[in-house]
Amino acid sequence: CNYSLPFMNPTGNSECTDCYELYKFANPTSVFVGDYVNFDIIICANNAVSAPNIVNLNDFLPANFVPDPQITFPINGLPTPPTNCTTITVSGIFIDDGICDDNVNTATIEFGNPTTTLTAEACVDVICPSGTPIDGPITTSDYFNIPPGSAYLVPQGTYSLSGELIIDNLIIF
């Protein structure tokens, strides 16, 4: 039988370089140390005929990120549906603070012969919760001069304010 597949060259190697798309998302993108983060890796097959149906997935986790449950990479021979997307979620916590550039999570997939590699990244800002807790109603006599990089933890509830409120560079979690 001499059957020629449209995505194979005469040597039998895949010529498909756009078989897949790779996406990487972090949710949320800003957290306190110890809060859970999900990194979603999404692998989408673009062509049912030419996609090789399996990929090798690697995920390079930031050094201060601890996955829960533990997961081992690379995952070689990961099956992928020919016309759909496959999502893999890596959950865990950051054990130290840092800016987004320090907490980059990079995923790669490899497929085909010769090998084609795709890369996608996501990052997270991690804030150290070293702030002072605020208890009870906030009154007009309360004045907070919070230094940059610090955080104040406010218990969940309803607060009322009479007077002037000036908020600059507020992050709400």
Side-chain angles (χ1 to χ4, degrees):
C1 178
N2 188 6
Y3 183 73
S4 175
L5 297 174
F7 64 94
M8 301 296 274
N9 66 23
T11 64
N13 294 330
S14 173
E15 292 181 342
C16 177
T17 57
D18 62 347
C19 293
Y20 292 99
E21 293 178 24
L22 178 64
Y23 303 97
K24 182 78 183 231
F25 299 100
N27 183 26
T29 57
S30 185
V31 297
F32 284 112
V33 171
D35 287 348
Y36 268 83
V37 174
N38 289 331
F39 286 107
D40 291 323
I41 306 164
I42 303 171
I43 305 165
C44 296
N46 288 333
N47 188 322
V49 175
S50 58
N53 298 325
I54 62 167
V55 297
N56 296 327
L57 169 66
N58 209 345
D59 197 23
F60 302 96
L61 300 170
N64 62 342
F65 181 78
V66 178
D68 179 30
Q70 286 290 333
I71 186 167
T72 302
F73 289 99
I75 300 173
N76 294 320
L78 179 69
T80 56
T83 58
N84 294 321
C85 296
T86 299
T87 301
I88 295 176
T89 300
V90 179
S91 299
I93 62 170
F94 281 92
I95 58 172
D96 199 6
D97 62 335
I99 61 173
C100 194
D101 291 344
D102 296 332
N103 298 317
V104 175
N105 178 283
T106 303
T108 63
I109 59 172
E110 295 179 339
F111 58 90
N113 182 10
T115 301
T116 299
T117 302
L118 299 179
T119 301
E121 294 180 338
C123 65
V124 176
D125 285 313
V126 183
I127 302 164
C128 183
S130 60
T132 304
I134 299 173
D135 291 322
I138 299 172
T139 67
T140 55
S141 63
D142 291 327
Y143 177 77
F144 300 101
N145 184 6
I146 304 170
S150 297
Y152 275 79
L153 307 177
V154 180
Q156 185 174 358
T158 302
Y159 297 88
S160 60
L161 174 74
S162 62
E164 184 178 11
L165 175 64
I166 300 172
I167 298 175
D168 184 25
N169 200 16
L170 175 69
I171 300 174
I172 299 175
F173 295 94

